[in-house]
Amino acid sequence: MDIATTAAAQADLPAWNRAEFEARLRDKGRAYHIHHPFNLRMNAGGCSPDELRCWVANRFYYQICIPRKDAAILANMPDRAHRRLWVERILDHDGDGDQAGGIEAWTRLGEAVGIEREDLWSLQRVAPAVRFACDSYVNFAARAPWQEAVCSSLTEMFAPQIHKDRLATWPGHYPWIEAAGLDYFRSRIPLAARDVNHGLRVTLEHFTTRAAQQRALDILQFKLDILWSMLDAIEKAAHE
Ligand SMILES: O=C(O)c1cc(C(=O)O)c2c(n1)C(=O)C(=O)c1cc(C(=O)O)[nH]c1-2
C-alpha cells in the first residue's frame, strides 16, 4: 500500500480512545536507545574510559541543542499557559539564579570522566552524524506545528529508566568516575516526569483522529531514530 492509500485507509478507522492511544505511544519504548548495543555495553561495564569520554563529549551536543529546540517551540506557542510550563525546560538546562542547570551538570560529568571544560565546549569531539541528528531535531521543532514538536519530546517517557540504569550500574563498573559527576542523571528523573505530564496532555488533546494519532506515532518514531542514530555514530566514532 502506498502512503496516500494508507492515510486514506486510516482516515476511515475510528480514533483510539485516550488510554489506547497513550498505550500505543508508550509501546514505542521498544525502539528506545536504551536497547541500543552501545547503551547495553555501557551499562554492563564494557566501555573503556575513552569510549565513555566519546559518549559524554558527543552527547554534550544533544544537551546544548535541547534548550535551543525548546526555545524554538516556545516561539511557536500562542498560548500563555503552555509557555509558562514550557519555559521551565529551558531554565532546567541553561540554569536559573542559584540553579546551575543541566548543561553545567553535564560539564561536571565531562570533568568526572576526564574531559576538560574547554575541550568539551569546543565541540571538537562531536562526530558529524551526531551534529546532523541533533540539528534535525532543532529544525523539526522550529518548523513543525508546536503540538507536533511537543509530541517529539515524548521519548522522555522512557528516559527516567535510562538515567536510573546508569545510576545503578556505573558506580560498580566505573569506580574511577567521581560520584558527583552522575548528578545530571539523578536530577533528570523528576524533571522528565514533569515534562511528560505536560507533553502527554498536549498530545492526547491535539491528535484526535486516527490519521492524526498515526502521525503522532510517526513523529515519536522520528525522534527515536534520532537518538538511535546518535548512538550508531558514537559507537563508530569510539573505534576511530
Ligand atoms: O540520557 C538520555 O538517554 C536522554 C534521553 C532523552 C530523550 O529521550 O530524548 C533526553 C534526555 N536524556 C535528557 O536528559 C533531557 O533533558 C531530555 C530532553 C528531551 C527532549 O526531547 O526535550 N529529551 C531528553
Side-chain angles (χ1 to χ4, degrees), residues 179-234:
L182 308 184
D183 281 350
Y184 177 80
F185 305 138
R186 204 166 289 113
S187 74
R188 282 308 305 174
I189 295 167
L191 298 178
R194 183 212 56 198
D195 289 354
V196 167
N197 274 343
H198 184 210
L200 207 48
R201 179 159 60 82
V202 169
T203 302
L204 295 176
E205 282 171 9
H206 178 71
F207 299 88
T208 52
T209 65
R210 174 66 75 89
Q213 290 169 331
Q214 187 57 52
R215 166 100 184 124
L217 291 170
D218 291 347
I219 289 166
L220 195 50
Q221 185 63 51
F222 159 74
K223 171 67 175 306
L224 289 162
D225 291 346
I226 287 172
L227 294 170
W228 193 273
S229 51
M230 280 172 65
L231 281 190
D232 282 349
I234 290 169

Side-chain angles (χ1 to χ4, degrees), residues 3-229:
I3 291 171
T5 318
T6 311
Q10 280 164 4
D12 291 339
L13 294 170
W16 292 305
N17 65 35
R18 280 169 81 110
E20 174 72 9
F21 180 33
E22 180 175 338
R24 283 174 190 267
L25 290 164
R26 290 191 183 277
D27 189 53
K28 283 278 180 189
R30 286 192 283 169
Y32 197 47
H33 63 176
I34 200 168
H35 305 295
H36 190 285
F38 188 84
N39 187 63
L40 295 175
R41 186 156 64 83
M42 190 159 59
N43 289 348
C47 280
S48 66
D50 271 348
E51 286 178 314
L52 282 184
R53 284 192 271 274
C54 180
W55 179 77
V56 170
N58 275 281
R59 257 295 297 266
F60 181 67
Y61 191 66
Y62 187 67
Q63 301 307 126
I64 62 173
C65 283
I66 293 285
R68 290 177 50 222
K69 76 89 188 164
D70 284 325
I73 296 173
L74 195 69
N76 289 332
M77 272 179 167
D79 184 273
R80 186 175 74 133
H82 283 304
R83 285 200 304 273
R84 286 174 71 127
L85 293 173
W86 203 263
V87 72
E88 295 291 336
R89 298 183 183 228
I90 300 173
L91 302 178
D92 289 345
H93 288 275
D94 282 343
D96 184 31
D98 294 341
Q99 298 293 323
I103 292 175
E104 186 59 27
W106 198 274
T107 306
R108 302 245 174 83
L109 171 63
E111 288 170 340
V113 298
I115 308 170
E116 304 277 348
R117 174 180 295 264
E118 295 70 30
D119 185 2
L120 188 75
W121 283 68
S122 74
L123 306 181
Q124 65 191 1
R125 293 172 181 251
V126 180
V130 170
R131 277 181 196 265
F132 288 136
C134 296
D135 290 349
S136 75
Y137 188 29
V138 178
N139 289 333
F140 174 77
R143 288 176 192 163
W146 65 271
Q147 298 95 336
E148 294 196 356
V150 169
C151 174
S152 70
S153 76
L154 283 182
T155 49
E156 277 201 288
M157 291 190 292
F158 320 120
Q161 189 57 51
I162 209 168
H163 295 310
K164 285 178 194 165
D165 287 355
R166 293 172 190 137
L167 290 165
T169 60
W170 285 30
H173 293 314
Y174 310 113
W176 53 273
I177 303 176
E178 189 199 338
L182 308 184
D183 281 350
Y184 177 80
F185 305 138
R186 204 166 289 113
S187 74
R188 282 308 305 174
I189 295 167
L191 298 178
R194 183 212 56 198
D195 289 354
V196 167
N197 274 343
H198 184 210
L200 207 48
R201 179 159 60 82
V202 169
T203 302
L204 295 176
E205 282 171 9
H206 178 71
F207 299 88
T208 52
T209 65
R210 174 66 75 89
Q213 290 169 331
Q214 187 57 52
R215 166 100 184 124
L217 291 170
D218 291 347
I219 289 166
L220 195 50
Q221 185 63 51
F222 159 74
K223 171 67 175 306
L224 289 162
D225 291 346
I226 287 172
L227 294 170
W228 193 273
S229 51

